[in-house]
Amino acid sequence: SFELGVELFNTSRKMCQDIQSSSSFVYTRKTTYEGQRALLDFWGFLLKHEDKLNSESISNHRAGTETKSSARHQQLFLDTMKALTLRDEFDLAQLRNKSRGEGAGPTPISQEDKDVFNKYRILLQRTIEMAVRIFLSEKLIQEERMFCLELLAISFFRIPTLCGFLLDSADEEQEEDGEQERGQGEEKQPKDGKDDRKGELSASGRIIEAFKQYKEKAKAEDRKFFSFFENNPSLFDWTVWLQGVNDDWLKSSITKVKIKLSRPENFFPFVSFIICHVCKIAVGQIHFGLVPGYWTLVAAVLERVSRRRAAAYTETMVQCISDLLQNRSLLRFFAQALLLTTDAFDCASVDKSLNLLDEWFLIVAPDMADPLPGNMCFDTLFGALDVLLQSNHFQVLLKTLTFIYMHLGRAYGALRTRFCGLLLDKHFSALFLHWHPEVRLMFHRILIFRLNRLGIKQAGTDKQDKAMGPSASFEHQLLHKVQQVMELDTSSSDPTTAVGEGEDPLTQKKSSSEGGGGDSKQATATKNGGGGGTVHVQ
């Protein structure tokens, strides 16, 4: 039975692990080959009986008559096929190590090794043919779709003649499917990134242009690390080791996959599987720019993401971006695309955007004290925070202040000074006496536990305290701000105080940034302009 076969496979897998770990002093090379051939024979057995083992479970699932046993059989079948494909015994690193030999010169590849890897290649092709057939079926269940996409990602490296065909899916997003997927969440923008109304680059176009400039610099930098090619034959050398294999039949099948693979629900998981595969098998520090097709895939993902509003990000899209952020330098572009498409007047959109940004920060800098990458789009970030801190919605203010509280520990030097300027110079009066208690409390916590983390300093001279220049301590600046706000509140509530409309009672000069009312709601800075908008920072 199939369950018995899986049990035998698990036993043989443990045996082969023992063989690989002990072959130098216990097992002979002949025994190692027998273990490899046993796995390949079991793989061939599964493919021979694939229709019988898998089709019944799939048909029951589609008909709604699936039993717990048939579902388990189907999942076991897919997991077993995937595990056999990724076995270390068939990794090119094993073959490369054997070819080096123990002596000074290289050792010729033995006929046994050639037979093992040629058979692996044949079985891999048959498995991909099965995956393509499943992927192109009219009704595709989720488990099948993920299995097929992961196998296509593996074949992207292990059958290099398919690499170009699969990369074509990055540039062939179908308009009809794009309209269905886009709905109201994706903005229609020209493919050249131009805004016809202004004759300038749109927000999406500016991001793509900045990415192209970064890509050229990164390519020049990555060319210095040639050792990455030498240490990772599994990513580059399959064509060298397996020459003369005819892949024409597989090419004709894979061309039918490109259209379906270009759809968003398939393209983003496909890119995720490629990145995860690289992270899993790569040796040493990963230089992503040297991975075949990497820049083409990243550019395609960034272009699709930048055309979509933040509120319309799908789960597969978010997972794809999270995987791509294994390259920390990409945070700048995805964060900018997210912030520039966030609706500042929509509480749900702001909440989702800041949650995603919080998740991405933790990926690139897991420790809360780790600084963010130096190429982060700080101008866009501070522009967005400035707009959000002017909101009339207390939910938006509370979410923004919580985000600042969580990540202010990552700011050092000039970046920390910039946060102080944002909170003290622009929004102190509105937030310090805000009408909502949670907003006030969060703002006070930022002042006490984040910005004033060095504690109380001894006060300077009266002249220094009055100056409040850049050299003044944070506490002196804070006390001065509190005194200003309290005097403003007292003056506005005293009917005997004669203060002209729009004047600052401390300086008796016209103020363009603060109102004179005593109601803290009126003191909150607002941004007029209608009921909808996005955080666009020029």
Side-chain angles (χ1 to χ4, degrees), residues 102 168 195 235 286 340 358 365 393 433 478:
E102 299 179 357
D168 288 343
D195 189 341
L235 296 178
I286 302 176
L340 292 179
D358 178 77
H393 297 286
L433 296 178
L478 178 58

Side-chain angles (χ1 to χ4, degrees), residues 215-227:
K215 180 180 68 174
E216 296 304 321
K217 296 180 180 179
K219 283 183 176 180
E221 185 68 22
D222 287 335
R223 292 191 186 102
K224 303 176 183 178
F225 302 97
F226 289 102
S227 60

Side-chain angles (χ1 to χ4, degrees), residues 401 405 408 423 442-451:
L401 290 173
Y405 180 87
L408 195 55
L423 297 175
M442 182 55 65
F443 185 66
H444 296 167
R445 285 175 174 171
I446 292 176
L447 297 176
I448 296 171
F449 298 113
R450 287 293 186 261
L451 294 178

Side-chain angles (χ1 to χ4, degrees), residues 3 24 69 110 199 234 253 256 297 307 399 427 450 482:
E3 289 181 327
S24 59
S69 177
S110 65
S234 296
S253 299
K256 303 175 185 178
L297 295 174
R307 296 200 308 262
K399 184 66 179 181
H427 304 287
R450 287 293 186 261
V482 172

Side-chain angles (χ1 to χ4, degrees), residues 490-526:
T490 303
S491 300
S492 61
S493 61
D494 187 355
T496 63
T497 304
V499 180
E501 182 179 358
E503 293 183 1
D504 188 341
L506 296 180
T507 62
Q508 296 299 314
K509 295 181 179 179
K510 293 287 184 179
S511 173
S512 61
S513 60
E514 296 180 357
D519 188 354
S520 56
K521 292 183 182 180
Q522 298 297 328
T524 304
T526 60

Side-chain angles (χ1 to χ4, degrees), residues 192-321:
D192 58 1
K194 295 292 184 64
D195 189 341
D196 295 335
R197 294 170 299 179
K198 300 180 180 180
E200 300 175 354
L201 286 176
S202 62
S204 173
R206 292 195 299 271
I207 295 173
I208 298 300
E209 187 64 28
F211 172 75
K212 290 179 179 178
Q213 296 176 6
Y214 159 78
K215 180 180 68 174
E216 296 304 321
K217 296 180 180 179
K219 283 183 176 180
E221 185 68 22
D222 287 335
R223 292 191 186 102
K224 303 176 183 178
F225 302 97
F226 289 102
S227 60
F228 184 71
F229 295 100
E230 177 69 15
N231 296 332
N232 293 278
S234 296
L235 296 178
F236 306 103
D237 292 353
W238 284 93
T239 302
V240 176
W241 291 108
L242 299 172
Q243 294 180 348
V245 180
N246 187 1
D247 294 329
D248 292 339
W249 65 271
L250 195 54
K251 292 178 184 179
S252 60
S253 299
I254 213 71
T255 53
K256 303 175 185 178
V257 174
K258 291 190 297 183
I259 297 177
K260 195 170 185 178
L261 186 60
S262 65
R263 298 174 183 174
E265 68 272 14
N266 296 322
F267 179 73
F268 290 114
F270 172 68
V271 177
S272 292
F273 283 128
I274 286 181
I275 300 300
C276 292
H277 182 73
V278 172
C279 294
K280 181 178 180 180
I281 68 174
V283 177
Q285 182 180 358
I286 302 176
H287 299 280
F288 286 99
L290 300 177
V291 175
Y294 176 77
W295 294 116
T296 301
L297 295 174
V298 174
V301 172
L302 184 60
E303 184 177 356
R304 299 186 187 196
V305 168
S306 61
R307 296 200 308 262
R308 189 181 296 266
R309 295 176 184 174
Y313 280 22
T314 62
E315 183 179 349
T316 56
M317 181 188 300
V318 172
Q319 183 60 50
C320 179
I321 296 174

